[in-house]
């Protein structure tokens, strides 16, 4: 009789564990869906979706309080980046860390078909070079993969690094990330290198075109916050920026929001939905 009860008890424990695992997976899937909804509602409707986003944040907090806090912080930064972030033209402000804890992160730009750099990318590099002289102890990260249609041997970051060294940057200061094809991947892959090889870096200044600063800052800061929470490590933060000023009329706020949304979806792992936003083939959620 004792043996039967023992077997029965074991079966109950197994069933309980399986049930618990199923509930955990269900909650995890639900949390992921809520996060995707938070991103897409804000990306499609901006401040018009504030009430809906707050409702979703409350729902997420009920599922997972750590994720709830994380995404509340990320959404606050998203609003800040597009509405309040000061964009510094041509140079960085004074007062940033003047040591190896700072990384100047230069975002790439699509190459010409033959593998040469476009004027806009060279403009970003000129700003980066000037900033590297302002902060001579900071690292310089060049980020961007192979985007030349007819030349697969070159990458944005490789050419950027060569240009900077040719114009006086010490090779010991240079960090190359040459696999990324989107701004979200710029953030993810650059951070992966920093975490593994440069643990002293704890702050980043974004260098890009003026229309791209808020967009780049958002994706880097979101990746930093997300990684720190998920891996229980100290946070890195975007502390400033410097912009190459360009009047690119392609990117109105609505378009920037769409690209930001695609990037945020990439950061949370939904590449299929991200591509629909990148290529403007998405369907707006009903508000």
């Amino acid at each position: 009789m004792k043996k039967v009860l023992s077997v029965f008890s074991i079966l109950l424990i197994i069933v309980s564990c399986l049930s618990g695992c199923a509930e955990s997976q269900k909650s995890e899937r639900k949390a992921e869906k809520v996060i995707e909804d938070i991103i897409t509602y804000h990306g499609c409707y901006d401040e018009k979706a504030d009430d809906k986003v707050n409702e979703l944040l409350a729902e997420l907090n009920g599922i997972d309080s750590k994720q709830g806090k994380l995404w509340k912080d990320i959404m606050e930064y998203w609003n800040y980046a597009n509405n309040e972030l000061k964009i510094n033209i041509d140079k960085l402000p004074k007062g940033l860390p003047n040591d190896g804890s700072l990384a100047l992160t230069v975002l790439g730009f699509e190459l010409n078909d033959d593998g040469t750099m476009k004027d806009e990318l060279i403009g970003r590099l000129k700003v980066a070079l000037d900033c590297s002289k302002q902060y001579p102890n900071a690292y310089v990260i060049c980020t961007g993969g192979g985007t030349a249609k007819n030349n697969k041997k070159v990458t944005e970051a490789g050419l950027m690094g060569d240009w900077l060294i040719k114009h006086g940057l010490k090779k010991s200061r240079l960090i190359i990330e040459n696999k990324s094809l989107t701004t979200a991947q710029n953030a993810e892959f650059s951070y992966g290198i920093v975490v593994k090889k440069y643990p002293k870096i704890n702050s980043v200044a974004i260098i890009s075109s003026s229309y791209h600063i808020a967009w780049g800052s958002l994706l880097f800061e979101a990746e930093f916050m997300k990684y720190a929470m998920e891996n229980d490590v100290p946070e890195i933060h975007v502390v400033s920026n410097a912009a190459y000023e360009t009047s690119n009329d392609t990117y109105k706020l609505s378009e920037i929001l769409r690209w930001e949304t695609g990037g945020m979806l990439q950061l949370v792992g939904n590449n299929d939905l991200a591509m629909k936003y990148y290529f403007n083939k998405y369907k707006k959620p009903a508000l």
Side-chain angles (χ1 to χ4, degrees):
M1 183 66 178
K2 288 183 179 179
K3 191 177 290 187
V4 172
L5 285 174
S6 177
V7 172
F8 183 70
S9 297
I10 291 170
L11 287 172
L12 282 176
I13 291 169
I14 292 171
V15 170
S16 177
C17 287
L18 290 173
S19 177
C21 289
E23 285 299 314
S24 176
Q25 290 174 356
K26 182 180 179 182
S27 294
E28 184 179 353
R29 285 195 298 272
K30 186 177 181 183
E32 290 171 356
K33 182 63 172 66
V34 174
I35 290 167
E36 289 169 8
D37 285 348
I38 289 168
I39 293 169
T40 54
Y41 271 100
H42 180 77
C44 289
Y45 297 103
D46 198 13
E47 74 279 357
K48 293 179 181 178
D50 284 353
D51 289 345
K52 180 64 176 179
V53 168
N54 288 332
E55 176 187 318
L56 290 165
L57 285 170
E59 181 182 356
L60 179 61
N61 193 62
I63 299 168
D64 184 330
S65 59
K66 285 187 177 180
Q67 289 280 5
K69 183 182 184 307
L70 170 68
W71 282 94
K72 181 177 183 293
D73 291 344
I74 288 175
M75 296 310 295
E76 286 177 355
Y77 189 88
W78 195 345
N79 281 315
Y80 162 77
N82 283 338
N83 296 295
E84 300 176 35
L85 178 67
K86 180 181 178 182
I87 297 175
N88 305 296
I89 303 301
D90 294 336
K91 62 181 182 180
L92 291 165
K94 296 178 180 179
L96 300 182
N98 198 14
D99 56 27
S101 68
L102 175 66
L104 314 180
T105 304
V106 199
L107 306 189
F109 189 81
E110 186 178 25
L111 300 172
N112 290 312
D113 289 353
D114 64 357
T116 55
M117 294 190 293
K118 294 180 179 178
D119 289 344
E120 185 167 337
L121 183 51
I122 294 172
R124 296 181 185 186
L125 290 171
K126 289 178 179 178
V127 172
L129 187 64
D130 288 343
C131 292
S132 74
K133 295 173 182 176
Q134 282 183 270
Y135 291 92
N137 298 309
Y139 286 99
V140 179
I141 302 174
C142 292
T143 176
T147 55
K149 292 180 181 178
N150 301 325
N151 188 343
K152 303 302 180 183
K153 295 181 180 179
V154 297
T155 64
E156 294 170 13
L159 294 176
M160 292 159 72
D162 290 345
W163 188 97
L164 287 169
I165 290 173
K166 180 180 178 181
H167 289 81
L169 185 75
K170 291 181 179 179
K171 191 173 182 179
S172 60
R173 298 177 63 190
L174 189 64
I175 300 171
I176 296 293
E177 182 291 297
N178 59 7
K179 304 295 183 185
S180 58
L181 297 176
T182 65
T183 306
Q185 289 181 343
N186 290 162
E188 184 179 359
F189 298 167
S190 295
Y191 190 39
I193 293 172
V194 167
V195 167
K196 291 177 182 177
K197 298 183 178 181
Y198 301 89
K200 290 184 179 179
I201 293 175
N202 59 29
S203 57
V204 164
I206 300 295
I207 299 173
S208 192
S209 301
S210 48
Y211 64 85
H212 196 223
I213 291 292
W215 171 357
S217 297
L218 165 66
L219 294 180
F220 271 77
E221 185 71 10
E223 172 64 14
F224 294 163
M225 287 193 280
K226 180 174 174 289
Y227 187 95
M229 190 279 288
E230 291 175 349
N231 296 279
D232 195 25
V233 296
E235 292 183 354
I236 295 177
H237 288 290
V238 175
V239 295
S240 194
N241 64 75
Y244 168 63
E245 189 169 24
T246 177
S247 56
N248 191 326
D249 294 331
T250 303
Y251 296 108
K252 304 296 184 183
L253 179 58
S254 59
E255 285 297 291
I256 289 173
L257 276 168
R258 178 170 65 81
W259 282 94
E260 288 173 345
T261 301
M264 294 288 276
L265 289 166
Q266 265 199 300
L267 289 185
V268 300
N270 193 333
N271 287 307
D272 290 340
L273 187 56
M275 292 302 150
K276 290 180 181 179
Y277 278 82
Y278 284 148
F279 293 102
N280 204 11
K281 294 182 178 180
Y282 65 96
K283 182 179 179 181
K284 281 187 176 185
L287 186 62

